Every structure is written in C-alpha cells, then in structure tokens.
Amino acid sequence: HPGASTPDYTYRLEKVKFGVPLEEVCKNNENIPGPLLVLILKLNKESPNRRDVFRAPGHQGAMKKLIHFLQSGRLVNVDNYSVYTIASVLKKFLRKIPNGIFGRTGEKELFDIIELENESEQMERLHR
C-alpha cells in the first residue's frame, strides 16, 4: 500500500565475538551462538568425507569475509564456503579465546584427572 512503511527484511543474528572469554561468547555458560553452531554442524556433516580438514588452510579472502559476517551478526549461507575455510575460521576463533577453552583452572583439573589411576573416578570427574 502506498504510504505504508516497508518492513526491514535485514536479519540480524547473534554477533560472534573473537578474542573474548568463552563465558562472554556463550551466555550463561550454556548457549553457543547460532552462527557458530551452524559452522560446527556444517563441519560435523561434511568433514568426515574430506581429508585433512583441520590441517589444510582455508581461503584467506573467504575467511576474512566469513569472520566479518560472524562479528557483525549478518546472515551467512554456509554453503558458499568450503569446509576448509569453515574449519580455519573455527580454529581461529578457538585460538583467540584468552587462556584457552577450559581456562587455567579447567586445564589444571584435566591434567589432574589424567594422573588418576582409577578409571571410574576419572570418568566421574570428567562428567562433573
């Protein structure tokens, strides 16, 4: 209708923050941002059929574009990116987490668990 405002069809997603603690990326320590989850699911689906997915580098230009889309919260069609590019972006995201995925205390806890000789106790502590 003339004069009616047109709806904004520009979809915004959660922004994926690179270089911040995991608690800040995954709010309430439980939710992986949707765009990041889509990348993980794409890798889960396609990487078993490919060789050296995490060893071969992704296309640098495509990586920059994908990272920009993730950081700005823009809708991304992951079918436009190779699994190698997606894997490289995920590796970059993980590398930039300060103090690693588990943090210093979590990492120490994992090393302590490895030292345990009782396998059932190891499993119990890992589950916690």
Side-chain angles (χ1 to χ4, degrees), residues 9-72:
Y9 291 110
T10 308
Y11 292 101
R12 291 279 175 198
L13 299 172
E14 300 165 86
K15 293 180 181 179
V16 178
K17 299 175 183 175
F18 283 63
V20 298
L22 206 52
E23 301 84 40
E24 195 175 320
V25 175
C26 302
K27 297 187 178 37
N28 300 325
N29 250 354
E30 55 191 54
N31 298 326
I32 296 174
L36 201 57
L37 183 59
V38 168
L39 296 183
I40 293 167
L41 293 173
K42 170 88 171 176
L43 275 180
N44 184 52
K45 180 180 177 186
E46 293 190 15
S47 63
N49 303 324
R50 305 285 175 87
R51 291 182 56 122
D52 298 329
V53 170
F54 289 99
R55 297 182 93 197
H59 185 274
Q60 290 297 313
M63 283 177 58
K64 286 180 182 178
K65 191 174 183 180
L66 182 54
I67 289 169
H68 174 72
F69 286 164
L70 292 172
Q71 289 177 327
S72 62

Side-chain angles (χ1 to χ4, degrees), residues 102 105-115 125-126:
F102 302 107
T105 56
E107 190 174 279
K108 183 186 178 322
E109 178 74 15
L110 285 173
F111 284 120
D112 290 344
I113 290 170
I114 291 171
E115 298 293 320
R125 286 188 53 191
L126 277 174

